[in-house]
Amino acid sequence: MGRGDRAAEERPQAARVESSDFTEIVPSDRRADVVVVLLVGEQQQPAMAIVVEIQLGVDPDKPYVWPVYVTQTRARHRCPTGLLVVTINAAMARWSARPIDTGHPGWTLTPLVLGPQGVPVVTDAEQARTAPEVAVLSAMAHGQSEAAEAIGVAFFSGAAAGLDEERRAVYGDLVLSSLNAAARRKLEAMMKSGYEFQSEFARSYVAKGVEKGREQGRLEGILEAKARDVLAILEARGLEIPAEVRERVLASADIDELDRWIRRAAVISDAQELLATTGS
């Protein structure tokens, strides 16, 4: 039984009056991944809002902040509002779909969930540019399919252009590591042959690899870059990285292993799980 369940069953012994100022009870930088507002009529009035959250790992805070996202979006746009969680992991889809009992009678928020089978195949550069995180999810969910090459092209020619330098590097390697070997080789060859990607990053990505290869050997440069990306993903998700995990990642001399770890780093909830031998 969880702490919240026990608290709900315990008989209250006292009560206290708290501040009624809801400006920000706990100052924070809470922000949903995407908010989509559907408009109708000549006046383009909001008819429905959808809060979209991309969930790659278990986050115990989400059952508390998701209702906040919904109510704040509803208050801001004055229209019915729903919550859609997108994930590429079947277990995460089940976790995300659990009803959230807010404590108020009749108010239980049950998220709508788009699981791995429902993640769209993003092969259009403009669509990738509009929703880069969805483009990355598309690569992770469908990178082993026949659409892998088109997904990669869409990311590098569309999504990468609008990202900051740090996210470009992490997302780029995450996409490439998620593609099947044939698609990855084809995409890298297209970059090196001067394929006109709209994104300057696609060209600098390859140039960076070539430069590293000249300085310390191509294989060593690739291994180091991938190891750094594994750690960067874990750090970006706020996961504490034990010394033994960091050392093991940096010492890896297996590109396939590092590719698996890059994918795992995006979905695990504890950095210790990175080195698990089961699954990928």
Side-chain angles (χ1 to χ4, degrees):
M1 181 181 296
R3 180 180 176 183
D5 295 328
R6 289 196 301 270
E9 292 184 359
E10 292 177 356
R11 192 185 185 103
Q13 301 299 316
R16 67 186 181 201
V17 177
E18 296 283 359
S19 170
S20 59
D21 181 2
F22 293 110
T23 303
E24 234 346 316
I25 297 177
V26 179
S28 62
D29 185 24
R30 290 176 180 159
R31 182 177 303 176
D33 292 320
V34 180
V35 174
V36 179
V37 180
L38 307 180
L39 307 175
V40 296
E42 294 183 359
Q43 302 300 318
Q44 297 287 281
Q45 293 296 316
M48 176 75 185
I50 304 170
V51 177
V52 182
E53 280 279 275
I54 298 173
Q55 197 65 26
L56 299 179
V58 172
D59 185 343
D61 286 337
K62 290 305 174 74
Y64 296 96
V65 300
W66 280 344
V68 176
Y69 292 167
V70 171
T71 54
Q72 287 188 343
T73 301
R74 179 175 178 270
R76 178 179 302 163
H77 298 285
R78 295 292 196 270
C79 67
T81 301
L83 171 67
L84 174 64
V85 181
V86 181
T87 180
I88 62 166
N89 182 282
M92 274 308 308
R94 291 191 293 272
W95 180 86
S96 302
R98 296 185 306 176
I100 301 171
D101 185 356
T102 65
H104 189 283
W107 184 15
T108 298
L109 175 63
T110 302
L112 303 173
V113 178
L114 186 64
Q117 299 303 317
V119 174
V121 178
V122 180
T123 58
D124 178 75
E126 188 57 39
Q127 183 181 1
R129 189 195 315 277
T130 303
E133 283 78 12
V134 176
V136 175
L137 283 175
S138 180
M140 296 176 69
H142 307 293
Q144 301 301 307
S145 70
E146 294 181 357
E149 181 185 326
I151 292 171
V153 170
F155 173 81
F156 281 104
S157 62
L163 299 174
D164 58 75
E165 185 176 350
E166 182 178 358
R167 284 199 299 164
R168 285 176 182 176
V170 173
Y171 284 10
D173 211 45
L174 185 53
V175 168
L176 281 178
S177 68
S178 298
L179 304 181
N180 60 55
R184 186 164 59 246
R185 287 194 298 268
K186 184 69 176 292
L187 194 64
E188 290 173 343
M190 292 169 68
M191 293 183 194
K192 293 175 183 177
S193 66
Y195 181 86
E196 288 300 318
F197 286 107
Q198 295 177 27
S199 170
E200 178 63 29
F201 166 66
R203 291 183 287 273
S204 64
Y205 188 89
V206 175
K208 183 179 178 182
V210 172
E211 182 180 351
K212 282 187 176 181
R214 289 171 178 168
E215 292 177 353
Q216 61 188 90
R218 183 173 184 276
L219 178 59
E220 288 79 2
I222 292 174
L223 289 172
E224 181 183 355
K226 288 182 180 293
R228 294 294 180 187
D229 282 340
V230 172
L231 300 177
I233 293 171
L234 293 173
E235 290 171 352
R237 297 185 56 222
L239 300 182
E240 182 178 352
I241 307 175
E244 62 270 21
V245 173
R246 185 180 297 274
E247 292 171 3
R248 178 69 181 86
V249 170
L250 293 175
S252 178
D254 186 331
I255 289 179
D256 291 337
E257 178 179 63
L258 287 166
D259 281 340
R260 288 195 299 273
W261 286 349
I262 287 174
R263 294 192 293 272
R264 286 181 61 79
V267 299
I268 57 178
S269 57
D270 188 320
Q272 292 279 12
E273 300 174 24
L274 185 73
L275 307 183
T277 56
T278 57
S280 59

